[in-house]
Amino acid sequence: MPRPRKRPPGAAGPEKKGQSEKRTKSENLGEASAKVENSSLQKTSAFKKCGRNLTNYWLMKSEPESRLEKGVDVKFSIEDLKAQPKQTACWDGVRNYQARNFLRAMKLEEEAFFYHSNCKEPGIVGLMKIVKEAYPDHTQFEKNNPHYDPSSQEDNPKWSMVDVQFVRMMKRFISLAELKTYHQSHKATGGPLKDMALFTHQRLSIQPLTQEEFDFILSLEENEPS
DNA sequence: GCCAACGTTGGC
DNA sequence: GCCAACGTTGGC
């Protein structure tokens, strides 16, 4: 879903035109749910805390295997990020309101896990950091982009992106299967991954993590793969 | 390739 | 504003 690609504004590939669609209703829903998110109480998930913490942690999904969307390859792996100038790329293509709102909540220097999705071995592969806070995603205005949004106006862009920079690879690959095992047992024991968004909001491509979730996943690096 | 989960659209 | 139909995500 996020199709982060490094690309100067204005570049475009071959492909067909996007279809028109309604916008106002769902946009308002998106805005509203963003506010509701932060107002709810409790100490549990990053969802509830997000926006009130000094520092947030994130997990961002991208597809490491080639897949054509409207004729354009949306592949972007952590190796692709490493290969960019300054190992930095814009995280474009996010077209979900909840995910967008999390992008907009990201602050400079916050850390994010790079997660490989929709692939043979889904899981966390590395760490990156936010090096530019949210600004308009230029791909929403590019007619030939797979994520072109004809309902978005230049003077009031709907979609945002951030810039991320590669920090390091994980010391070992942390698979979805392993995380799921911990999530399952932590639901029973009250452990740190009991509310992890990867499982409680499975389709979200940009997700917040609590300090506890983040630290626990980092601690897994030191263990044998399970 | 299948399909569950879930977000979006649009008729009423 | 409801909700069925539809489209997308993403694991398996």
Side-chain angles (χ1 to χ4, degrees), chain A residues 106 108-109 129-135 161-164:
Chain A
M106 292 176 171
L108 279 182
E109 298 298 313
K129 66 178 180 183
I130 310 306
V131 293
K132 182 173 179 174
E133 294 179 7
Y135 61 107
M161 63 186 183
V162 297
D163 286 356
V164 296

Side-chain angles (χ1 to χ4, degrees), chain A residues 181-199:
Chain A
T181 299
Y182 285 111
H183 169 64
Q184 294 293 357
S185 68
H186 288 186
K187 278 197 293 184
T189 63
L193 298 194
K194 68 180 190 311
D195 294 317
M196 192 183 181
L198 196 57
F199 306 103

Side-chain angles (χ1 to χ4, degrees), chain A residues 41 66-67 124 137 170 175 189 212:
Chain A
L41 42 164
S66 285
R67 186 173 64 83
I124 294 171
D137 177 348
M170 300 301 281
S175 73
T189 63
E212 292 71 27

Side-chain angles (χ1 to χ4, degrees), chain A residues 1-5 7 9 90-95 100 103-104 134-142 145 147-149 152 154 157-162:
Chain A
M1 53 174 25
R3 315 278 163 244
R5 256 160 301 123
R7 246 217 209 174
C90 56
W91 203 271
D92 65 17
V94 172
R95 296 295 181 269
R100 179 202 69 180
L103 283 176
R104 291 180 177 179
Y135 61 107
D137 177 348
H138 54 85
T139 65
Q140 68 196 295
F141 303 119
E142 297 168 5
N145 190 284
H147 304 107
Y148 173 59
D149 184 350
S152 185
E154 295 264 3
K158 269 165 92 163
W159 305 111
S160 301
M161 63 186 183
V162 297

Side-chain angles (χ1 to χ4, degrees), chain A residues 5-76:
Chain A
R5 256 160 301 123
K6 193 53 191 182
R7 246 217 209 174
E15 158 235 351
K16 64 175 185 182
K17 285 173 62 162
Q19 66 301 350
S20 32
E21 51 183 86
K22 290 265 168 293
R23 79 193 267 253
T24 3
K25 197 198 284 182
S26 53
E27 182 168 24
N28 292 341
L29 283 171
E31 304 288 355
S33 69
K35 285 165 191 149
V36 170
E37 217 65 67
N38 293 342
S39 62
S40 43
L41 42 164
Q42 261 29 316
K43 55 264 174 185
T44 49
S45 74
F47 257 76
K48 296 168 181 169
K49 297 173 70 169
C50 167
R52 296 187 299 152
N53 289 355
L54 276 320
T55 303
N56 287 302
Y57 298 92
W58 307 99
L59 180 149
M60 302 168 77
K61 299 178 183 175
S62 185
E63 300 185 33
E65 296 173 4
S66 285
R67 186 173 64 83
L68 293 186
E69 203 170 300
K70 300 182 182 173
V72 179
D73 192 354
V74 296
K75 164 187 187 290
F76 190 82

